[in-house]
Amino acid sequence: MGSFLALSFALLLSFGPVSLAGDASDEFYVEAGAFTSREEATASAVLARKAGLAPRVVKRFLVNRGFEFVLVVDGLPDAAAATIAASALESATAQRAVVLSSAGPASPAAQPPDEARTAAQWVASVSAAVGGAAGGSDALARAAVVHFVFERTLRVGEKEVTFSQDYWRDGTNRRLDVKTFGGGTDSTAVTTAASAWIRTGATVTPRDIGVLVGTIDAFSPESMLTVALGAHDLLRASEVQRFTVLEGADGLRLGTGGDESESGLAWIDIDPETSLLEGVRLVTNGGPIEWDLRSWKEVAPGVVIPMEVHVRRADGRRETVKVKTLEVLTKSPDGEFAP
């Protein structure tokens, strides 16, 4: 089985620190780097701290490439302070930096009626509803332990099959249990800092640690629920600045109103009562993908997810993910990663 397509939220910049204008209500932060390993990012963070900055390392996805790590300096009071921090971060780490702003959610009294809200105001409401800049995948990246159980239904050959997958992440340790309900061979994959192996039946086979970590993380919550956990970053794409409230759409739809085959985010459907996403259409190099997102729930502070996701791809493939458990813990069960 191929891994679930992960979205790219990397910022591609050609020149030095870039500043985005914002008003006095905006919160500013700086991002820099696109490291392939946490160790590289941590080493650059040490250099930044020597320059008087306080960066944190955030783990994200790149399309068809897996994880990347970036440095984030947040809590900056205004655009001027953020621009200074970006320059200092570049000087200390030799990584390109970008200044970003994220408007906080409007108070209920100041919120305009639904019919009067602009697309930009709706986008800000959605970002706030999914946890803002520090929520979603960022919140999970800071968690000591992540436990994720879900059922995945898709067509394999002429049959529709359902798999149950139980994912654990504790620091560098990983575990993935797969149950096939008779449609294949059940398995358990485990990696630690010292070893990696897969058990099928009574057979245990050693594996390369780095390869197996990537294979297991293809079924992490960040991979399977990318649109939801990465919504804040997804909505910072350049095309979103051209979104309008589209006429004639069922419910509330924001989009460019242009050619839906153009690469990038084509439209989003929003529940006006909760400001949570109900549908997304993203056009990738492999064609358009559409998501239906249902039954949202806050499972941890800043982590708001749909408990059911339906995915439609351009080649006709369909997939359903039903979340059974997503929890953030301080400690994993004893023996969870033992041979």
Side-chain angles (χ1 to χ4, degrees), residues 56 127-146 229 297-305 326-330:
R56 56 189 176 92
S127 294
V130 296
S137 58
D138 278 13
L140 285 183
R142 297 190 299 270
V145 178
V146 174
L229 290 172
K297 180 181 178 181
E298 184 174 24
V299 295
V303 183
V304 186
I305 63 167
L326 176 54
E327 54 185 346
V328 171
L329 306 171
T330 57

Side-chain angles (χ1 to χ4, degrees), residues 152-187:
R152 183 183 184 210
T153 301
L154 65 162
R155 184 166 291 278
V156 177
E158 298 299 317
K159 295 195 307 180
E160 188 174 80
V161 297
T162 297
F163 303 92
S164 175
Q165 293 170 270
D166 190 332
Y167 170 93
W168 283 92
R169 180 171 75 227
D170 184 346
T172 59
N173 297 333
R174 302 287 190 276
R175 178 182 176 119
L176 180 69
D177 292 293
V178 179
K179 295 182 180 179
T180 64
F181 304 110
T185 303
D186 295 354
S187 64

Side-chain angles (χ1 to χ4, degrees), residues 84-135:
I84 293 171
S87 297
L89 190 60
E90 282 199 349
S91 298
T93 65
Q95 300 291 325
R96 288 174 295 183
V98 59
V99 175
L100 299 169
S101 64
S102 174
S107 64
Q111 189 69 273
D114 290 352
E115 61 273 13
R117 290 196 211 179
T118 65
Q121 288 169 326
W122 277 115
V123 167
S125 293
V126 173
S127 294
V130 296

Side-chain angles (χ1 to χ4, degrees), residues 122-261:
W122 277 115
V123 167
S125 293
V126 173
S127 294
V130 296
S137 58
D138 278 13
L140 285 183
R142 297 190 299 270
V145 178
V146 174
H147 181 213
F148 180 44
V149 183
F150 64 97
E151 288 185 355
R152 183 183 184 210
T153 301
L154 65 162
R155 184 166 291 278
V156 177
E158 298 299 317
K159 295 195 307 180
E160 188 174 80
V161 297
T162 297
F163 303 92
S164 175
Q165 293 170 270
D166 190 332
Y167 170 93
W168 283 92
R169 180 171 75 227
D170 184 346
T172 59
N173 297 333
R174 302 287 190 276
R175 178 182 176 119
L176 180 69
D177 292 293
V178 179
K179 295 182 180 179
T180 64
F181 304 110
T185 303
D186 295 354
S187 64
T188 297
V190 173
T191 71
T192 67
S195 65
W197 48 268
I198 293 179
R199 185 185 71 227
T200 53
T203 302
V204 177
T205 307
R207 292 297 174 92
D208 178 87
I209 295 175
V211 172
L212 192 55
V213 166
T215 301
I216 294 176
D217 276 344
F219 302 100
S220 67
E222 294 93 334
S223 291
M224 302 306 299
L225 304 174
T226 306
V227 168
L229 290 172
H232 176 80
D233 290 312
L234 179 66
L235 294 175
R236 305 191 78 84
S238 59
E239 60 268 22
V240 175
Q241 298 177 20
R242 298 184 283 112
F243 272 16
T244 61
V245 179
L246 299 179
E247 298 292 339
D250 294 335
L252 176 62
R253 175 169 292 183
L254 308 182
T256 60
D259 183 357
E260 290 189 0
S261 65

Side-chain angles (χ1 to χ4, degrees), residues 5-64:
L5 179 68
L7 306 178
S8 173
F9 304 129
L11 296 166
L12 304 179
L13 303 175
S14 300
F15 302 102
V18 177
S19 177
L20 297 180
D23 60 33
S25 65
D26 289 354
E27 297 175 357
F28 292 87
Y29 59 101
V30 175
E31 291 185 359
F35 303 96
T36 58
S37 71
R38 185 178 292 276
E39 289 73 18
E40 291 177 332
T42 300
S44 283
V46 170
L47 297 175
R49 291 188 185 100
K50 290 180 179 178
L53 301 171
R56 56 189 176 92
V57 176
V58 174
K59 187 178 185 181
R60 289 182 181 160
F61 280 97
L62 288 174
V63 170
N64 297 329

